[in-house]
Amino acid sequence: MNLLICNGSPRGEKSNSTTIAKWFSTDQDKMILLMKASKHQAYLDTIASYGHMVFIYPLYVDAMPGIVKAFFERLATREGLMTGKKVSFIIHSGFPESVHLEVLTRYHQILARKLGFVLVDTIVIPGSEGFRLMPPQQNRKKQQAVMALMEQFRSDQPFDKHLLKRLAGKRQGTKTGNMVFSLLAKTGITNLYWDSNLKRNQAYEKRFDQPYAEK
């Protein structure tokens, strides 16, 4: 069974979402990049040809990326397009705890009711930042779990709850871990990556701005 993989990462092909997608995709599957907003209308015709779809995207500012929201709004304009289609989501984040992604799993249930598709399940993968840079063997266990779940999806079997739980990992960090992180944060080490991105985009000096605060 061929899958349509909808990659919702704003990073496009050079993303952790693409790395995860490569873990389970075959040459017969098709991947579309939702970051290409100009192609959204054409993507609707692509969707019409598939009965099984996987949406994969990262957590952005504690929510679904804006480009993914825009695509679902476009989907809503084509009444009946998603009716009966089987859909799975793979959502991931750089946070080591899975609690940050829980609100999105509930949101997927709302989308299923609104658009009429069959929600098979949501696969949650925390700690994903850097997947695209890591050597393959470092994520071998995660890859094997994702591959097994996608094989179940292709054959219309329910997901293995043990594999889902293994990928989701710990829901929340420990007190000791949080304390260590707080101490490291004071040194600035935990913000090196984000600060470098802010500086590259000339936004570092504006990082504490409050544009929506009442004057």
Side-chain angles (χ1 to χ4, degrees):
M1 179 185 296
N2 299 339
L3 304 179
L4 177 63
I5 304 168
C6 304
N7 184 339
S9 175
R11 289 173 174 166
E13 292 180 345
K14 297 179 180 180
S15 66
N16 296 308
S17 293
T18 299
T19 296
I20 296 171
K22 288 179 179 178
W23 291 351
F24 63 84
S25 59
T26 68
D27 292 339
Q28 286 70 46
D29 297 329
K30 182 177 181 60
M31 183 165 69
I32 58 177
L33 300 175
L34 301 187
M35 66 171 290
K36 298 182 177 181
S38 62
K39 294 188 176 183
H40 280 191
Q41 191 62 39
Y43 286 161
L44 300 187
D45 295 329
T46 302
I47 283 175
S49 303
Y50 287 84
H52 286 65
M53 302 166 54
V54 180
F55 284 88
I56 176 169
Y57 65 85
L59 184 74
Y60 257 54
V61 198
D62 291 316
M64 177 185 288
I67 197 68
V68 182
K69 294 179 185 178
F71 186 66
F72 276 113
E73 289 173 1
R74 184 67 65 91
L75 274 177
T77 66
R78 287 279 292 270
E79 186 175 353
L81 178 63
M82 294 292 291
T83 301
K85 295 184 183 296
K86 294 191 175 181
V87 176
S88 175
F89 288 87
I90 300 178
I91 54 177
H92 58 97
S93 78
F95 294 112
E97 309 92 359
S98 61
V99 65
H100 303 278
L101 295 157
E102 287 182 357
V103 66
L104 288 171
T105 63
R106 295 193 292 271
Y107 185 57
H108 295 159
Q109 295 170 1
I110 296 172
L111 280 175
R113 292 196 297 269
K114 292 282 187 180
L115 299 180
F117 61 80
V118 178
L119 175 61
V120 176
D121 218 326
T122 296
I123 299 171
V124 172
I125 309 177
S128 65
E129 185 55 51
F131 275 4
R132 68 192 190 283
L133 304 174
M134 297 176 184
Q137 62 271 20
Q138 193 165 342
N139 291 311
R140 184 67 64 192
K141 290 184 178 179
K142 289 185 175 66
Q143 177 182 354
Q144 291 173 345
V146 171
M147 288 174 63
L149 290 169
M150 284 296 101
E151 284 304 312
Q152 293 167 359
F153 182 58
R154 290 178 195 273
S155 57
D156 290 322
Q157 299 177 27
F159 281 158
D160 184 325
K161 298 299 182 183
H162 175 71
L163 290 179
L164 289 174
K165 186 175 181 181
R166 183 197 303 175
L167 283 168
K170 293 183 178 180
R171 182 176 182 271
Q172 291 179 299
T174 63
K175 290 183 178 180
T176 301
N178 292 336
M179 185 180 299
V180 171
F181 182 84
S182 296
L183 292 173
L184 289 174
K186 291 180 180 179
T187 69
I189 292 176
T190 57
N191 290 329
L192 287 176
Y193 173 77
W194 305 111
D195 286 349
S196 66
N197 277 276
L198 288 170
K199 291 174 181 177
R200 186 171 64 249
N201 291 282
Q202 292 80 50
Y204 183 75
E205 301 301 330
K206 300 179 181 179
R207 66 192 185 282
F208 295 119
D209 284 4
Q210 300 179 18
Y212 300 109
E214 294 184 6
K215 301 295 184 180

